[in-house]
Amino acid sequence: MKTRTSLTLAASLALLAGGATAETTIVFQDMGAEREGFNEEAIRLFEEANPDIEVEYRWQANEPYKTGIKVMMESNSPPDLYFVWAGSFSNDFVDSGVASDISDSEAAGDLWTQGAATGVVDQFRYQGGLYGVPGQVYTKYMWKNDAFFAEHDLAVPETLDELIGLCSRVREIDPLMTPIAFGASESWTINHYLTILFQRHVPLETALADYQLSAPADALWTDPGYEAALEDYVSLIDAGCFNDGINSVDPNVSRTMFATDLAAMTFCGSWCPPIFNEQGFEGRYSAFDFPAVEGGRGNQDGTLVGTQGFQVAAASENREAAIKLMSWLLSPEMQALQARTAGQLPANASALQDGDLPAESVALLDKVAEAPVSVPPLNTIVETSVSDVILKSGQDLTAGTITPAEFMERVRAQALDAKSRG
């Protein structure tokens, strides 16, 4: 393949240059183990091509990273290059002055710009600058066990009521089969359900004004669709759609439940097909759209789509080297390598070839392209302090310790407080 040849050549030329000693060390902080294999290989190639630069690679698990990176960036030794979700999460680093504007890298036409999709890159534009580069797009869909559905002549539910009815049908067929595998020990998994249910119930224009605190104070987070969405979520729990002990079940366990024929369905992201396939479930499952909500005033055909990537620290003493690594990792060739090794959807697909992604992942790309509306997860688009309340309240709602009305009272109170503080 042309890509592999060019990378090998670059590495070989670097080696022929002699055993140069690295003059610069940069710290690269990523989130999660999903890209560990890719990162290690990409960094190896980068260091061979740039013998004067040494990369100290670190990663931290999803949940601790969300608070951990904030502590790191406030310290006296922040990482030079670090992972972020596009939206309020990445913008917070800009507001606090710790992220570097990399508009100069874009203007210079660095590697990452080649084939980059403008609309995706734009998610990192903020306050007149460019404060990040996209590395992956991610989405979330319902998945079904094809053999179980076929054996029992089950139809894909088109409405939420049909989904709830299907849960009862699955329990009747096999009391030991969980209708929808769900692990919510990490609150973002609940957050994704609420993201799509809010999308179904609340007009997009109204929701965005609430998420960004731009709605008038007397109208902020007052749309009745939010509470209706929360009631629908509770209905799924009450109908026995999920496994027991949701709040104590790790998301990895729920994925394994689905991939080992212990659940008929699951709501899982674009990172899931490689996981399912590794567990021997390849070719035995397929995606379907989250059902429509009858009477909902939002978009019934929309989906959840987010972007994640990297920012360069404003305090980096090796900014040029950090940008060089960032550009290398997010170049078209490395994005294709990431797809092959990690199975993640690349933000830049210009160098992808047949076979680089599992067939199920390619199908997701097609679905995303056809979706009329896409909204990122709440925790990446809602103002941070309000998002924190939503995350905490989601687990309380799941546990049954608060009602949908009490949930929204918390959200409105925090939104009004945040808006008053500007």
Side-chain angles (χ1 to χ4, degrees):
M1 190 172 96
K2 184 176 180 181
T3 294
R4 292 172 181 162
T5 302
S6 63
L7 291 175
T8 303
L9 178 60
S12 300
L13 289 174
L15 290 173
L16 290 172
T21 302
E23 299 174 357
T24 301
T25 298
I26 54 176
V27 176
F28 167 41
Q29 178 70 54
D30 203 357
M31 185 282 295
E34 296 85 359
R35 288 184 300 278
E36 187 175 12
F38 159 71
N39 281 333
E40 290 176 348
E41 175 63 7
I43 289 170
R44 183 186 70 80
L45 292 169
F46 175 80
E47 290 179 333
E48 288 181 353
N50 300 273
D52 58 326
I53 302 175
E54 180 181 357
V55 179
E56 183 179 329
Y57 164 55
R58 308 169 181 170
W59 66 266
Q60 190 174 25
N62 189 319
E63 280 297 288
Y65 182 82
K66 291 169 184 173
T67 53
I69 187 59
K70 296 176 182 178
V71 175
M72 294 178 213
M73 296 310 297
E74 293 171 358
S75 71
N76 293 326
S77 55
D80 299 280
L81 182 67
Y82 57 99
F83 171 94
V84 288
W85 289 273
S88 58
F89 189 92
S90 59
N91 292 345
D92 282 350
F93 292 115
V94 180
D95 291 337
S96 60
V98 299
S100 177
D101 184 352
I102 56 170
S103 299
D104 55 334
S105 174
E106 182 178 38
D110 286 344
L111 277 176
W112 70 266
T113 66
Q114 299 172 17
T118 301
V120 182
V121 174
D122 285 348
Q123 293 195 30
F124 284 96
R125 298 193 195 281
Y126 185 59
Q127 296 184 350
L130 178 64
Y131 291 92
V133 175
Q136 303 86 36
V137 293
Y138 59 96
T139 186
K140 199 156 188 175
Y141 279 86
M142 296 294 297
W143 300 92
K144 65 180 177 67
N145 181 319
D146 290 338
F148 185 84
F149 268 63
E151 179 182 356
H152 301 289
D153 196 26
L154 301 177
V156 170
E158 295 185 358
T159 68
L160 194 67
D161 286 343
E162 289 180 6
L163 177 60
I164 290 174
L166 180 59
C167 292
S168 297
R169 178 70 180 126
V170 170
R171 295 285 189 187
E172 291 171 1
I173 293 169
D174 183 353
L176 298 180
M177 174 72 85
T178 296
I180 305 174
F182 187 18
S185 63
E186 298 181 7
S187 56
W188 58 267
T189 58
I190 300 170
N191 189 63
H192 288 179
Y193 270 99
L194 302 188
T195 298
I196 203 74
L197 285 169
F198 282 2
Q199 185 187 73
R200 296 289 189 262
H201 275 281
V202 182
L204 182 60
E205 184 177 351
T206 300
L208 291 178
D210 290 332
Y211 297 168
Q212 299 163 8
L213 302 183
S214 60
D218 61 350
L220 192 63
W221 284 94
T222 60
D223 192 289
Y226 294 118
E227 192 168 326
L230 298 174
E231 290 169 351
D232 279 345
Y233 172 72
V234 172
S235 294
L236 289 168
I237 298 174
D238 291 345
C241 286
F242 305 129
N243 40 278
D244 294 334
I246 303 169
N247 273 346
S248 61
V249 176
D250 187 277
N252 290 316
V253 173
S254 67
R255 295 167 196 149
T256 298
M257 288 177 62
F258 178 69
T260 55
D261 291 304
L262 295 178
M265 296 171 283
T266 193
F267 186 42
C268 208
S270 48
W271 55 90
C272 295
I275 297 172
F276 296 154
N277 292 351
E278 286 175 4
Q279 297 184 353
F281 211 51
E282 185 173 1
R284 298 172 57 196
Y285 63 98
S286 58
F288 65 93
D289 295 338
F290 194 92
V293 173
E294 293 180 311
R297 295 177 299 108
N299 190 285
Q300 303 306 311
D301 301 314
T303 190
L304 181 157
V305 179
T307 304
Q308 53 198 34
F310 301 101
Q311 288 181 319
V312 174
S316 174
E317 296 179 356
N318 301 295
R319 181 177 182 274
E320 183 178 345
I323 289 178
K324 181 175 286 189
L325 173 62
M326 177 197 72
S327 189
W328 175 274
L329 292 173
L330 304 181
S331 65
E333 292 79 10
M334 288 295 101
Q335 289 267 278
L337 178 62
Q338 174 186 264
R340 290 194 298 274
T341 57
Q344 294 185 322
L345 306 183
N348 185 339
S350 61
L352 277 188
Q353 297 185 14
D354 290 345
D356 282 347
L357 282 172
E360 296 85 359
S361 298
V362 174
L364 286 186
L365 283 174
D366 293 338
K367 278 184 164 294
V368 169
E370 295 169 358
V373 173
S374 60
V375 175
L378 295 175
N379 61 309
T380 68
I381 193 173
V382 173
E383 189 275 335
T384 302
S385 68
V386 178
S387 171
D388 290 343
V389 169
I390 291 173
L391 288 167
K392 172 62 170 65
S393 299
Q395 289 194 306
D396 291 342
L397 184 67
T398 301
T401 58
I402 63 171
T403 66
E406 290 168 336
F407 183 114
M408 290 310 303
E409 287 173 6
R410 291 181 180 182
V411 171
R412 292 185 195 110
Q414 184 57 49
L416 288 169
D417 178 68
K419 186 176 180 67
S420 69
R421 290 184 283 106

